[in-house]
Amino acid sequence: MNEKIHTHGQVSIQNLNKYFASQTQPLHVLDQINLDIASGEFISIVGNSGCGKSTLLRLLVGLDADFEGSIHINQQPIQGTSLDRGIVFQDHRLFPWLNVEQNIALALEKSPLSKAEKQELIDYHLDLVKLSAFKHAYPSQLSGGMSQRVAIARSLVNRPQILLLDEPFGALDALTRANLQQELQHILSSEKVTTILVTHDVEEAVLLGDRIVVMQPNPGRIKRIVPVELERPRKREDYRLTAIKNDILQDFKDQKVIVKPHELEHYGLTW
């Protein structure tokens, strides 16, 4: 097995600090983040608003290069966005004038693959998210959960090494959310892609993650990392998951987010 296979989808974050400019003094958002993520691992990042978890995800996407420390993907310094990193946001961001198939196909526009190869990938991923029967439907004809499944298919169709999930089920009702969490487990078990989920839902984090990164605010830093060494697929009623969830919730029991007046302007940002 060659070295490239071993490093496929690896992430290494070392001594990461992030500041936002301010009229008075720089706002320290991320403080000394150190995290190594193995190939194929599922990492859940949890924390209250203001702990910097979405800012960390933006840095991993490559949307922001203004930081101290280092981020390496497959042992190479991160350099902007890449097709090797797919992302799913809380809102599905589908184009309303394109149907399901066309929305997924957009992600393959710059691919060197032939038309037939692209179609094969699109059909495979439509089947993966159980939407083959809706390939000609438009976003307005889909439920919120179906739209998020299209977004997941679109993010995976390029065969990325890393999948970044920013509160992907946050806007959905509880039942749809629970169903999609189970589906995501099945999808990722077949794809074996390194996955980083940002969520404020501790139950979701524990159900899906191999390790839970617990963050605390002011400035955002890692409080602890909790392993979830349970077999898959997991069921939310498993008492062992509940025990881990309750343990993590203790970290937030007395946690308050303190906002200083000069920081208020920054809350227009997602961080």
Side-chain angles (χ1 to χ4, degrees):
M1 190 178 288
N2 64 37
E3 187 61 27
K4 192 171 182 182
I5 301 293
H6 286 295
T7 60
H8 186 87
Q10 274 187 4
V11 180
S12 180
I13 303 167
Q14 300 295 325
N15 304 319
L16 179 67
N17 286 279
K18 172 65 182 173
Y19 296 85
F20 284 140
S22 171
Q23 291 178 347
T24 52
Q25 61 187 40
L27 177 60
H28 197 180
V29 185
L30 292 171
D31 179 37
Q32 286 295 307
I33 304 296
N34 289 281
L35 180 63
D36 288 317
I37 302 171
S39 175
E41 190 174 16
F42 193 123
I43 293 290
S44 298
I45 302 175
V46 296
N48 285 332
S49 297
C51 72
K53 56 189 187 297
S54 287
T55 296
L56 179 57
L57 208 67
R58 280 179 59 84
L59 297 179
L60 288 168
V61 174
L63 292 171
D64 186 348
D66 182 19
F67 60 86
E68 296 175 2
S70 68
I71 301 174
H72 283 75
I73 309 288
N74 299 333
Q75 302 178 354
Q76 298 297 317
I78 192 169
Q79 293 183 322
T81 58
S82 166
L83 293 177
D84 285 337
R85 278 164 272 141
I87 185 161
V88 179
F89 297 97
Q90 182 170 330
D91 52 329
H92 54 72
R93 304 193 182 188
L94 302 181
F95 291 101
W97 59 89
L98 300 178
N99 66 27
V100 167
E101 184 178 45
Q102 291 164 336
N103 265 287
I104 296 171
L106 266 184
L108 292 171
E109 265 197 346
K110 294 181 179 178
S111 169
L113 297 174
S114 69
K115 188 175 180 181
E117 288 170 326
K118 288 180 182 179
Q119 191 61 52
E120 187 179 346
L121 269 178
I122 293 166
D123 290 342
Y124 170 80
H125 285 86
L126 279 166
D127 184 57
L128 189 68
V129 298
K130 301 177 183 174
L131 284 174
S132 297
F134 294 88
K135 65 193 297 183
H136 299 304
Y138 286 84
S140 62
Q141 299 170 306
L142 305 177
S143 68
M146 292 166 77
S147 295
Q148 278 302 77
R149 295 216 302 269
V150 178
I152 291 168
R154 184 177 59 187
S155 69
L156 289 172
V157 76
N158 271 312
R159 300 285 180 171
Q161 297 179 20
I162 299 165
L163 180 63
L164 303 159
L165 304 171
D166 191 4
E167 299 275 8
F169 310 136
L172 304 175
D173 64 86
L175 187 59
T176 304
R177 184 180 187 129
N179 288 335
L180 272 184
Q181 287 166 352
Q182 293 296 345
E183 283 190 29
L184 186 62
Q185 283 198 79
H186 294 302
I187 290 167
L188 295 179
S189 69
S190 69
E191 293 296 287
K192 304 286 190 261
V193 60
T194 304
T195 306
I196 302 167
L197 166 72
V198 160
T199 181
H200 63 268
D201 184 335
V202 176
E203 182 179 277
E204 177 174 272
V206 173
L207 177 71
L208 298 171
D210 296 314
R211 286 188 293 157
I212 317 302
V213 176
V214 182
M215 294 189 67
Q216 57 187 39
N218 302 316
R221 57 198 181 278
I222 295 175
K223 182 173 185 179
R224 62 173 173 146
I225 299 176
V226 181
V228 185
E229 295 168 337
L230 299 176
E231 65 277 4
R232 297 177 183 277
R234 297 171 183 164
K235 296 182 178 177
R236 70 186 66 250
E237 58 269 21
D238 188 329
Y239 73 92
R240 297 170 298 175
L241 289 176
T242 304
I244 296 169
K245 178 188 79 170
N246 291 339
D247 176 48
I248 292 172
L249 284 172
Q250 291 300 310
D251 289 330
F252 302 107
K253 198 173 179 184
D254 304 311
Q255 198 177 102
K256 293 180 177 68
V257 179
I258 301 167
V259 184
K260 299 167 188 170
H262 78 274
E263 295 173 1
L264 287 172
E265 63 194 87
H266 295 286
Y267 275 77
L269 296 167
T270 306
W271 67 278

